Structure formats: C-alpha cells, structure tokens
Amino acid sequence: MEHLLNPKAREIEISGIRKFSNLVAQHEDVISLTIGQPDFFTPHHVKAAAKKAIDENVTSYTPNAGYLELRQAVQLYMKKKADFNYDAESEIIITTGASQAIDAAFRTILSPGDEVIMPGPIYPGYEPIINLCGAKPVIVDTTSHGFKLTARLIEDALTPNTKCVVLPYPSNPTGVTLSEEELKSIAALLKGRNVFVLSDEIYSELTYDRPHYSIATHLRDQTIVINGLSKSHSMTGWRIGFLFAPKDIAKHILKVHQYNVSCASSISQKAALEAVTNGFDDALIMREQYKKRLDYVYDRLVSMGLDVVKPSGAFYIFPSIKSFGMSSFDFSMALLEDAGVALVPGSSFSKYGEGYVRLSFAYSLDTLREGLDRLELFVLKKRESMQTINNGV
C-alpha cells in the first residue's frame, strides 16, 4: 500500500541530525556533541506547578489557543523581553512546541507554487513542511556573508512567487544572530510587499554579545513570530511553543492549529504559566554557563587551526573542515570511528552546510574538554597524514 501514499510524504527524509545520532548509538565510548538538548533540568518551581496541576485534576481540554491566563502572562513576558506587544485574546496561540507552530503557520500561509526564502545553512525542520504544502524552498547561500541572510541577499532572491522569508535567528546550526540595524534593513526592503516573514526566535534568550531584537518591532503587520520555552527554560519535552501574529492572520492559523492538535497539554500550559510568571530570569544561569562553554570551545577550535565564525547566540558552533578535502559526512564518520567523537555533518543543514560540522556546546565543560581533546588529536593525525601524502612518501 506504500505506493498509494502522498508522494510528498514519501519523499521526505528523516533529519540528517537524527540519522547521524542513530549511527552514534551503535558505537561505544563516544563523546556525542550532536543534539541541541540543554543539559540543565527544568526549574524546580516549574515542575512543582505541573505537579500541583495534576493533583488538582487540571487534565481536560483547554481553549484551542491556550489558557487565556497563560496568553496574558506570555504577552507581558514578551513585551519585557522583546519589546513587542500582541493581544492575548486574538494574537497569541500556545502551541505544541515551536515545531508545531511553524507547521501551522506554513500550512496557513502557503499555497502550491509559492516560494519561501531561507538562509543556508539552516535547520532541516522547515523544508519538509514547505514541500508538503506544495511550495518551493529557496535556500540562499550565506557562507560568504558570515552566515547572515542580508537584505541584499533577500532582494536578489525575490520573485513574483515569493510568499515568505524565514529568519531563524539566533541560528541553528551557526549560532549567528542579526543586529537591529540588519533587521531594520530587511524590514525596509519587505515593508508593503505581499510577503510574510516567519521569525523563528526559539533561541532568543540565549544571546551573548548583544540583546536579541525581533523584526516584529519593525514589520509587525507582515511578521509571524515563533518562540517557546524549550531552550530558555530547558523544557524541550514539555512541548510548549508560542506563536504571535496580527489578528487577521492569527485567526486563520488558529483554525489549522485546532484541527491539528486541538490544544497544547493542559499540564504543560500550567508549567508554562509558572515559567513566564515567576521564571523571568531562569535563563540567565544557563546563558552564563553557555557563554563560558562558547568561549572555551571557540578558543580550542581556533587553536586547532580551524576556520570558524564565533557564534553570538544559541549553543552551536559551525567550524569549517574544508581544508581536509573530505565531505562533511565522511569527516564526521572518520571522527566517530577513529576518535569516538560525534559531530553533526554540515550537509544535514542544506547543501550550503557541506564543508562544515556542527558542534553543540549544550554539554558540561568536562564533556566538551574530553571531546575537544579527541578532536584535536584527530585533526593533528589527519594533517600529518595529508602532509605525508603531499610529500609523496
């Protein structure tokens, strides 16, 4: 019966991140620096709120858009954090994680033949949804622009079929962010055009050298903002996302969301209420630790002679391995088998990720130190081997 399935569903492949993680699971004594999973526990007060909700039998359906009390709290939280304001009753939707928010948004705004401009390298979670909608991903090479999707690059990619521009900053896999001036330039370019902006800001609380800015402060009427608590409060498994959009857009996204999941988990919503009400600074401790890890990892990679752009957000770094003359997959497999270190091949993040590998520093310093020690020895041996070949020995 497989041949009867939707061809677009058959064509979708499992994420390269997951594929490589599955390969890693087959090896022993591996330092895995692959998954973007915070190594912190969900804050105690958030877990306590969830337990209380269970004990009080808060286990029924919620409004489709989420508890109004939670949406009101999210409204205040984001106004303080990002300086934008969306109406709690008509412009905020609580979703089952940021991924479901992205899915609902794309399925609402895209039609067959539409084009979606995105930066490459990019997290692989957008392209399959766009394809399922019958739309066309247009991935723009940003490798010569510090991994930033600039206004000029967007302008060059615009066509009459362009329906949406995706701004996934801070970026997975590069850790790059956009400045307010860069966002203003993009807003000025797109203002008044029949083009949406989907701004995925799930890592917005994890920025290191400048505050996070949202393009929604400059292009509100055309922007759909995606956020959530997975990274800021180490709540990946709770599956709570936030979607913000002007009410004339949000009311249609809500219909798609309703028929997709009905509502986010009632227990998770109560935990989220505690997180955004009494956990305003919960991300600070994590951010401080990530900054220490970032500085350590960056310095180690530079000392190895690897070409790398220093991240300004998220918890990923994306060094180039082009000098080794190997594909990113072959390099990653050799590193795994010879040194017992797992990094994600850059090819998992579009063709423009080829020649790079992604390292997640959402791990303890001890784990990072061991992994980088192994990586450094591997790099040294690889260069010695290349030198021997070049010398004709």
Side-chain angles (χ1 to χ4, degrees), residues 210-229:
R210 67 168 70 97
H212 173 75
Y213 294 104
S214 175
I215 195 170
T217 60
H218 306 294
L219 196 66
R220 189 185 191 280
D221 291 346
Q222 294 168 237
T223 300
I224 300 167
V225 178
I226 308 296
N227 213 313
L229 299 177

Side-chain angles (χ1 to χ4, degrees), residues 78 81-82 169-170 200-207 210-213 226-228 231-232 287 314:
M78 295 307 298
K81 290 283 186 181
Y169 297 103
D200 185 350
E201 304 177 20
I202 191 65
Y203 293 98
S204 61
E205 296 233 30
L206 302 179
T207 58
R210 67 168 70 97
H212 173 75
Y213 294 104
I226 308 296
N227 213 313
K231 315 302 181 180
S232 62
R287 188 168 67 198

Side-chain angles (χ1 to χ4, degrees), residues 74-93:
V74 168
Q75 177 187 28
L76 294 175
Y77 182 86
M78 295 307 298
K79 183 170 176 55
K80 293 177 182 177
K81 290 283 186 181
D83 195 30
F84 63 61
N85 187 35
Y86 286 82
D87 180 68
E89 294 194 34
S90 62
E91 298 182 318
I92 300 175
I93 302 172

Side-chain angles (χ1 to χ4, degrees), residues 283 301 358:
L301 293 175
R358 191 192 76 174

